[in-house]
């Protein structure tokens, strides 16, 4: 069994986001950090470090326009040179002054056109970089009751999604992200998985739902959503992070490691452990160093995955069938209570990696090197 | 315009639930009240009072087995004699010892069979009473991670729903209710509108979603769900009540009258103001007198409806199209800030009713009469 | 270090509540279980099993009037015979019809007098049983805005607390419990720790706050409250249980074991690990068997405690002082990720216990025995 | 009675914040608006407009360092020339790079000294401007378990507060603000009213609690806190705004006007309607125009106040004493359901104001004037 688990863990791919290496913060303050990249090429270099030390972070998500470059083929080539590849293309229709009242759901048709054109440009970038996945998150919504027509905004959304969907090529898909609130504070146009699912269903199989673990109302059972979407064949992937309150974007596994384990267990149980369900990180390292924060996060996902794979599913099924509440719960908890760090250390050694990625990265001197080298220029951030 | 609004208000039908007239409480205590009905016939008599004084509560929902009688035709006839009619039939698969681990999603096929048979029996009762609506709420779920297989429970649920759906006759439909939690404390098998919607969509047009206003996670925007379900043609009706915390089941409009107004506005705007969207109350009068509590609740829905009908939709649409955030909000708030009680008093006078239903009911002596008459026997409650 | 940790764990005392052995449920249904005690003596017998197999559950909380007996000295003697002792006395002023609108905060002075007299009776029972702790939880509150005067209810509460406080003897204290909501659905008279703390401060050192882990608003950081109350010298103890949604009363550690660990760490760090801070369980085993559920819960607290004791506090302090966010977090997580079950198994063996309490209890045949013996009579429940 | 109510409303003073006139936004985007002030003098000019049209907004809160000027006496004189005065001084210890890990609770004593010095500087500014109130909000907290010592941070907080408290002159006080979360995402050092209250109590009567209506956990009953703090003599004032989700900072009264009414009723009932409890706005007009947004907000507070003053308190007390749940609720709702806009229009006419402040401001041409005049320079925002 350990052999199977190791094989499964070795095959895991956790995508890190280019923007995690850039400065980020809250509305109150962005604390700049030393050594932060100044362009997409430097972001890829940092992401490559995460893969180098963990062995399971082979791709990097881009955010357009933050990662806009003149030559995407060159960017993809740069990634390949670094041992990684371009992952999902994330569209951004929330940072232009035109989008004050929405992007694809804006009451003004001119703004909608502009927003949809940006989404289509992102598909062009997918073509240019070989990316198979477009991630769509809309900050669209309203702040006040009456501000706009809830239903008309759905019609506008459906129209834009249709146009983008029809533009997708073979082997391409889009993932529609939902979020309860922020930056919109009264309505959000895709506030929950049901809304995203309903739109995807009307569009076709290339439209799938992506679950950002920080985007739910308090008390929402995320693993239920995971299990349900897998049953319906519509789970496209995850934006992992963690939260105690709202969309806090902390390191995945930092706030509720047991929840992460339950989510990963439903992924495994539902047949979602494979290339079609993307494991992506979407986090903000506001206080902690960014590369190290990503390494730690990748390891947290690995640990939760290892525990999920350890669950004795035969014993679990037997206890469930027998209505043995305590027994079934105990089977699950046995896996969760196991310390999987030795197993992962062993796996890393077998993969030719240092068993302790955090320590190895610290020793590598990479951070000191980029701090020294990356002087001048403008540090990348959410706005650039 | 006032004439149109009055006509719309006069045509409104708000269904009261038979169980609102019976004793109810919390897990800590059920405080029995004087004059409470002892059987379904007495419950109908109380419900008829609510209609007599408000003029807009012409039907009464039944709960089976709480309202099980030998002769449903007689019960329907009794209702007609009282000036009301039988409304939705509510199934109950949560109060038998067999349902400890679930009803239609129970791991034990014998229990599932029993539960589904109960649902089919409810359709028989619909036939016997002339009811067109079956309301399905399942308390099914689990309390502990691992207790049962989340996905297998969905398969079992789908199977039961299909069997019931196929049993529905012409002019019959079922409404699937969702609820975040309680009495299940880890997973609930139909926890949100998305789950209910997905099942209904697979079943066909006779399956629709019912929105209980108390069944959402904190922060959920209910009027968004209402607008969305109306757009998809799947809003079957409401179970109205209000809450500050969880499923508190307080009188509708008592906790957040502005939310109720916003919900009613989306109903009106979305074309849901008509017989196909059922307005039902589902409340617990744990502390306050029950008949008076229902009258007050019906009036609260009326007031919210009147305000929703008062919204100047042309002015609203113009402000929305212009991106005038404050102006659009002001149009909505103008209607909400209006005191509609004089309008409703006028309407009641025109309908031959007392303009003040609460005072008229108090003067009627009905409560004193039933307190005196209903001695002996067993008071109806949630368990009977 | 392991020696110290073992010594600390050996000295731990986790109190189980008499009512956990009785039937419980939700407002929807109480599912009766076989073998449930019919009187306080049988409850003590069940509690003694939990201590027999875990070695760290030496006391049993009583709930008055549920555990009212004619001869409390006899009950205490019975406990001693079974190897346990009487713990906290829990007052109950929520199950009499008089308490519909409150107990000590009721607008009616007659009811307030009755409620306060009950609290004084509980101090008498403390005298008779040798209990040093009175636990006060009030379900008092209102369901509707305007129903009663928020401030006047505080005055009434203060008056009753003062009378009870003054009745306490040497070596006696009371713990004031707070709860956000339920069964009151608009205001609760002691809704949060701040309210409880303010009252205790005005009363004196024998009044302390008890933290029920299920009684907070979503998102509340419980370990912060623990740390703060310890700093102020007012943390009297815990009512442990766990929740995903509201006051779900699930087995402690079942919903968020990481939170339980963080709480226990603050207890240890704040000097609260000792006899003055009481570790009590307050749970409902609605679906699972009750004695086994308590054993499991006691073990969950033990595991969280063991992990909390394992934290390398010197390394933690050093990382904190250095502002090393990831490093400090890693020190804490290292302890949490450790599998402490082998350590606890070893400890149990040293204590002359079976290393696996769940299995040993199952093998003991106790459950089968009480199922066979306890026929006839009325099973104990929340109402008796 | 109407005369008394009008007199009370005429005497009301609602303070607007200088930063409400500047650009604001979310972490995703700040949408700049035309005509926004470029310095504190222009902010005061905008604030004076709000007072000119409403008659009840005579003071303006400053935020230091955002409103730092060389000559505070000149700024105060400028305010007087405009017909307003300087209100509360708001300290800001969250926007310097040094404050990444906290200000007065930072593990580094150098940073703590710097932060405390800033607070003391704010008292100097109070002296210079004649302000009697210092508002203290700390963004201090941690993002990860273990990041810092929860209790040590309280000790550091207490030390800084003591130093500032001792610096206060006669007729000066400080208001301590609490907030559940954001920008700190694991612990916040002053997360709830209980923490603020406990610190104030230890300091003395010049330290009071300020309630920001957006800073609570979901489900928190804010009017309870208001009533409780008034009873304890520790309610210093409000930061008004409204929210559907987290600290959304929408216009007060926009999300839940009934809650605002309930809060104002407790203020009136508890004797807090007077100069010692400050009514301040603390909002972000991210989408809507700022001056108009403030006028609307002031009017919303006025309307809630008028309704609160309209409550028939004798009838309410009688119904409460009689335990008449529905009757007592109805007394409150009667006041809330009243349309107070005619009364307020009348009052404004009597005060020599236009009865419709929004329309009058729109007609005044002020907005067009500042849009034309305020070109060049740097618009004020949260960061400056």
């Amino acid at each position: 069994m350990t052999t199977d688990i190791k094989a499964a863990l070795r095959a895991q791919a956790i995508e890190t986001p280019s923007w995690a290496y850039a400065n980020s913060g809250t509305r109150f303050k962005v604390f700049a950090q030393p050594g932060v990249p100044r362009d997409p090429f430097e972001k890829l270099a940092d992401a490559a470090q995460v893969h180098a030390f963990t062995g399971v972070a082979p791709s990097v998500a881009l955010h357009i326009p933050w990662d806009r470059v003149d030559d995407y083929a060159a960017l993809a080539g740069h990634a390949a040179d670094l041992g990684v590849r371009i992952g999902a293309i994330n569209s951004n229709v929330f940072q232009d002054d035109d989008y004050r009242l929405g992007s694809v759901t804006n009451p003004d048709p001119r703004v909608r056109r502009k927003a949809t054109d940006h989404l289509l440009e992102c598909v062009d970038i997918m073509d240019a970089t070989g990316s198979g996945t477009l991630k769509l998150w809309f900050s669209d919504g309203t702040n006040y009751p009456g501000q706009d027509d809830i239903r008309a905004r759905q019609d506008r959304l459906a129209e834009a999604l249709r146009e983008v969907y029809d533009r997708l090529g073979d082997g391409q898909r889009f993932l529609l992200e939902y979020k309860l609130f922020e930056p919109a504070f009264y309505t959000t146009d895709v506030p929950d998985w049901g809304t995203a699912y309903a739109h995807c269903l009307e569009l076709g199989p290339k439209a799938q739902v992506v679950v950002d673990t920080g985007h739910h109302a308090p008390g929402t059972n995320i693993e239920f959503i995971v299990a349900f979407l897998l049953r319906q064949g519509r789970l496209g992937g995850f934006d992992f992070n963690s939260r105690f309150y709202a969309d806090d974007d902390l390191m995945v596994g930092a706030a509720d490691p047991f929840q992460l384990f339950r989510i990963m267990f439903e992924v495994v149980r539902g047949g979602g452990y494979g290339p079609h369900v993307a494991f992506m990180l979407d986090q903000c390292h506001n206080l902690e160093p960014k590369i190290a924060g990503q390494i730690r996060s990748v390891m947290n996902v690995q640990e939760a995955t290892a525990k999920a794979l350890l669950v004795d599913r035969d014993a679990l099924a037997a206890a469930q069938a027998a209505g043995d509440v305590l027994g079934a719960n105990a089977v699950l908890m046995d896996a969760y209570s196991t310390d999987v760090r030795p197993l992962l250390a062993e796996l890393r050694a077998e993969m030719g990696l240092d068993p302790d990625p955090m320590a190895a990265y610290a020793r590598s001197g990479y951070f000191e090197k980029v701090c020294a080298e990356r002087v001048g220029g403008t540090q990348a951030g959410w706005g650039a």
Side-chain angles (χ1 to χ4, degrees), chain A:
Chain A
M1 187 183 175
T2 306
T3 315
D4 291 351
I5 292 174
K6 278 189 187 161
L9 289 168
R10 191 189 273 257
Q12 191 168 29
I14 301 166
E15 182 164 308
T16 75
S18 71
W19 56 97
Y21 306 101
N23 285 323
S24 62
T26 69
R27 59 174 167 150
F28 295 100
K29 172 72 176 170
V30 175
F31 294 103
Q33 292 196 10
V36 158
R38 289 147 319 163
D39 60 40
F41 292 87
E42 290 183 351
K43 292 180 194 172
L44 287 177
D46 288 2
Q49 292 293 306
V50 178
H51 186 50
F53 288 100
T54 64
V56 292
S59 65
V60 190
L62 299 187
H63 212 285
I64 307 299
W66 297 342
D67 295 321
R68 200 173 264 158
V69 294
D70 291 333
D71 185 344
Y72 287 99
L75 191 68
H78 181 68
D81 292 344
L82 292 160
V84 292
R85 65 174 184 274
I86 304 297
I89 304 300
N90 288 254
S91 60
N92 175 325
V93 283
F94 54 85
Q95 288 199 317
D96 189 288
D97 281 328
D98 272 337
Y99 299 142
R100 185 172 59 93
L101 300 180
S103 65
V104 295
T105 68
N106 198 297
D108 182 342
R110 182 190 61 80
V111 177
R112 297 204 294 273
R113 184 67 257 156
K114 172 175 173 171
T116 306
D117 284 343
H118 172 75
L119 305 183
L120 297 173
E121 178 201 354
C122 288
V123 187
D124 294 340
I125 294 171
M126 293 167 69
D127 291 340
T129 56
S131 168
T133 300
L134 174 64
K135 182 132 54 76
L136 298 173
W137 172 62
F138 299 102
S139 70
D140 293 48
T142 63
N143 274 7
Y144 292 103
Q147 178 185 324
D148 199 3
D149 188 295
I150 294 175
R151 182 159 168 176
R153 292 177 78 93
Q154 289 299 316
D155 295 336
R156 299 169 199 152
L157 172 64
E159 189 181 338
L161 290 176
R162 168 55 64 193
E163 188 172 344
V164 177
Y165 187 89
D166 289 345
R167 165 68 182 80
L168 292 173
D170 291 339
Q172 291 181 335
R173 61 173 179 168
F174 73 57
L175 308 184
L176 183 54
E177 189 163 340
Y178 58 92
K179 184 177 183 183
L180 180 65
F181 79 99
E182 195 213 19
F185 293 130
Y186 166 53
T187 59
T188 295
D189 292 322
V190 190
D192 54 21
W193 77 264
T195 305
Y197 172 75
H199 279 287
C200 288
L201 210 60
E202 288 174 2
L203 289 165
K206 291 178 180 175
Q208 300 179 319
V209 182
V210 58
V211 175
D212 183 303
T213 47
H215 286 188
H216 303 85
T220 302
N221 184 322
I222 299 175
E223 59 267 31
F224 177 90
I225 296 172
V226 168
F228 196 88
L229 285 173
L230 279 168
R231 183 180 183 270
Q232 308 298 107
R234 291 284 171 170
L235 180 67
F238 290 92
D239 265 9
F240 280 127
N241 49 58
S242 67
R243 55 163 270 180
F244 288 96
Y245 304 96
D247 184 34
D248 307 339
D249 279 337
L250 302 178
M251 296 188 302
V252 57
D256 190 347
F258 183 44
Q259 182 191 54
L260 182 61
F261 160 74
R262 299 193 311 263
I263 289 172
M264 290 308 306
F265 175 69
E266 291 304 327
V267 170
V268 170
R269 182 262 174 264
Y273 194 74
H276 43 292
V277 174
F279 300 133
M280 301 173 285
L281 304 184
D282 182 11
Q283 305 179 168
C284 298
H285 302 294
N286 296 346
L287 304 181
E288 67 275 20
K290 294 158 197 301
I291 299 170
Q294 289 286 293
I295 292 174
R296 176 72 200 219
S297 302
V298 166
M299 292 171 70
N300 285 353
V301 175
Q302 268 190 308
E303 290 180 22
T305 307
K307 292 180 179 192
L309 292 166
L310 273 174
V311 173
D312 183 340
R313 290 176 57 190
D314 291 338
L316 182 65
Q320 289 173 341
D324 178 3
V325 176
L326 288 176
N329 176 246
V331 172
L332 202 75
M333 295 312 291
D334 273 348
Y336 180 67
S337 298
T338 303
D339 188 344
V340 294
R341 293 175 301 174
L343 173 75
L344 288 165
E346 207 176 279
L347 173 72
R348 287 183 197 114
E350 291 169 15
M351 292 169 73
L353 299 169
D354 191 291
D356 183 345
M358 292 292 283
Y361 166 72
R363 278 195 313 270
S364 75
Y366 182 85
F367 181 64
E368 291 74 13
K369 188 171 79 80
V370 294
C371 286
E373 289 175 2
R374 294 176 182 169
V375 289
T378 305
Q379 290 191 320
W382 274 29

